[in-house]
Amino acid sequence: MMAKIHIGLDAHLILLLYSLIHLNCVIGQTEETQPIQTVRAFLSDVLSIEISEVKEHPGDLFLEIRSDHKICLINNGSYSVYVSEDGSVVYGYNNNTWYSRVYDEVHAELITESEVFDMAVPLLKYLGLTLDVSDYEFSLRGFGLKTPDNYQQQVWRISRRFYLNGKICRSLGFSCLISATSGDLIKFVYNPIKAPQNNLNVQVSYKEACDIASSYISQVYASTINEISFANGDSEGKIVVAPDDNELGKADYNYALGPPSMYYSWEVKLRFVEYKNTEREYSSSCIVYVNIETGEVVGGFCLRKL
C-alpha cells in the first residue's frame, strides 16, 4: 500500500517538474517584432541574403530617412536595414561590407545603364514603384581614383523624384547605388510621399512670398547681411511640397526634432552678401519656403558660399 502511494507521488512530481520546465521555455521564447519579420522577408525575397543574426535598434539621426524608423543590423553589422516602426515599409538599406572589400576587386568592364536597371527591378517591384525606365535618372559615379583597366570603384546611381498634384516633393523620392562592376546593391533610400499639412490653395502671391523671404533673411542675418537679390529665373515662381526643416541662421541645426511635416510652399531663391567691404566679405545663396496659404516661413537652407 505504501509503495503505491510513493510511486504515485513521484509520478506527480515528475509531471509538475516537466510542466514548469515547459512553461519556462515558453516564457523564455521571444517572438520577433514585425520590423524584424519584414526585414527578414525583404532580404530573403529581394536580395537573397541569408540571415544568421539580426538586432533591432531605435532609429537615429540618419538624415536621409525622413520618417520614424527602426534600424536592423544584420549578420554582425554587415548590412543595415531601415524600416518603419510598425514594420510596414522598408525605407533604406546599406551594404556595409562593400566599402571595405571594393578595393580588393578588379574588373575591366562596366555594367550598362539598361543592365543596371534590370538589376534594380526586384527592388522597385518590392517598393511598388513604376517600372518605366523613363521615370528614372541615371548617373555613373566613382569612388576615388580609377585606371583605364580597373573600374572597381564605379557605381550607378538610379533616382526618381516624387510629385504630388504636379508639384515636386523636396527631400522625398527614391535613390539607389549599384556597383557598376559586380552589380551589388550598395544602398538605397526610399522616402514616400507625405500628405501636406495645408491645401493647394494659393492665398499668398509669389511676389508677396519674395518680400516675406527677403524680410526673413534680413532678420536672421541682421548683424552681417548687406545686400539681398533674388536668384529665381522664373518670375512666376515655383510651388513645391517642402519640408519644415529650417537651417537658416543656425550653425548647428538640430535634426533630432523628428521627421519633417510637408507644406505646399513657394520656393524662393535668394542671394545675399555678408560683411561687405571687409576682409570677410562673401556671397551666399539660400532657399526659403513660404506657406502658400498663410505666408509663414516653412523652412529653408543655405546652398553654398559663392
Side-chain angles (χ1 to χ4, degrees):
M1 181 68 179
M2 293 296 294
K4 290 183 179 180
I5 293 175
H6 180 70
I7 293 173
L9 286 174
D10 284 348
H12 179 73
L13 288 174
I14 291 172
L15 181 60
L16 178 60
L17 181 60
Y18 174 80
S19 300
L20 289 173
I21 293 173
H22 177 70
L23 179 60
N24 286 333
C25 289
V26 171
I27 293 174
Q29 291 176 353
T30 56
E31 184 177 351
E32 286 191 338
T33 64
Q34 186 58 53
I36 290 181
Q37 293 179 38
T38 298
V39 167
R40 283 189 179 277
F42 164 73
L43 292 176
S44 174
D45 298 344
V46 179
L47 301 180
S48 300
I49 293 177
E50 295 184 2
I51 301 175
S52 60
E53 177 192 50
V54 54
K55 293 183 178 180
E56 180 183 308
H57 299 273
D60 63 2
L61 303 183
F62 188 56
L63 304 186
E64 290 181 291
I65 305 299
R66 309 316 310 272
S67 301
D68 290 322
H69 62 279
K70 298 283 190 180
I71 302 174
C72 290
L73 298 180
I74 314 300
N75 298 352
N76 197 29
S78 295
Y79 311 96
S80 302
V81 181
Y82 304 84
V83 60
S84 62
E85 292 187 330
D86 63 359
S88 62
V89 183
V90 176
Y91 292 128
Y93 160 87
N94 263 318
N95 181 340
N96 300 319
T97 66
W98 185 84
Y99 301 95
S100 61
R101 64 181 170 81
V102 65
Y103 296 101
D104 297 326
E105 299 178 3
V106 177
H107 301 275
E109 188 174 344
L110 293 179
I111 294 169
T112 65
E113 182 176 308
S114 60
E115 289 172 336
V116 78
F117 183 75
D118 290 340
M119 294 173 179
V121 164
L123 173 62
L124 301 179
K125 284 184 176 179
Y126 178 85
L127 297 175
L129 298 176
T130 175
L131 300 183
D132 187 342
V133 66
S134 64
D135 289 331
Y136 296 88
E137 298 176 9
F138 295 80
S139 60
L140 189 61
R141 300 183 172 190
F143 283 90
L145 301 174
K146 66 175 175 31
T147 60
D149 59 347
N150 186 1
Y151 294 94
Q152 82 273 17
Q153 299 169 44
Q154 298 294 292
V155 300
W156 278 105
R157 183 178 188 269
I158 305 175
S159 61
R160 183 188 175 210
R161 301 177 182 182
F162 290 166
Y163 292 82
L164 182 63
N165 294 320
K167 312 302 179 185
I168 191 169
C169 299
R170 297 302 190 196
S171 83
L172 305 181
F174 164 82
S175 67
C176 72
L177 296 180
I178 296 178
S179 170
T181 53
S182 67
D184 290 342
L185 176 65
I186 302 166
K187 69 175 291 184
F188 84 85
V189 174
Y190 169 58
N191 287 304
I193 292 174
K194 290 184 174 183
Q197 300 300 302
N198 61 343
N199 300 309
L200 187 52
N201 177 28
V202 180
Q203 298 296 313
V204 176
S205 70
Y206 176 61
K207 183 180 183 304
E208 290 172 323
C210 288
D211 292 339
I212 292 168
S214 178
S215 176
Y216 182 80
I217 290 297
S218 296
Q219 294 175 28
V220 170
Y221 298 97
S223 62
T224 61
I225 201 166
N226 299 103
E227 291 181 5
I228 297 179
S229 60
F230 295 100
N232 284 45
D234 185 1
S235 60
E236 299 294 323
K238 177 187 287 187
I239 295 176
V240 302
V241 181
D244 62 355
D245 298 327
N246 193 347
E247 306 173 33
L248 297 170
K250 301 173 183 177
D252 186 19
Y253 179 66
N254 182 13
Y255 285 91
L257 298 176
S261 297
M262 309 297 290
Y263 294 85
Y264 286 111
S265 306
W266 286 111
E267 184 174 71
V268 182
K269 298 178 181 179
L270 298 171
R271 290 177 179 158
F272 55 92
V273 178
E274 294 188 80
Y275 303 104
K276 189 173 182 179
N277 298 325
T278 71
E279 293 181 355
R280 299 174 62 189
E281 178 179 334
Y282 64 87
S283 297
S284 294
S285 62
C286 68
I287 288 180
V288 181
Y289 296 118
V290 179
N291 190 312
I292 64 171
E293 286 191 304
T294 67
E296 296 176 300
V297 172
V298 169
F301 57 93
C302 282
L303 295 171
R304 62 188 182 279
K305 292 182 180 180
L306 299 177

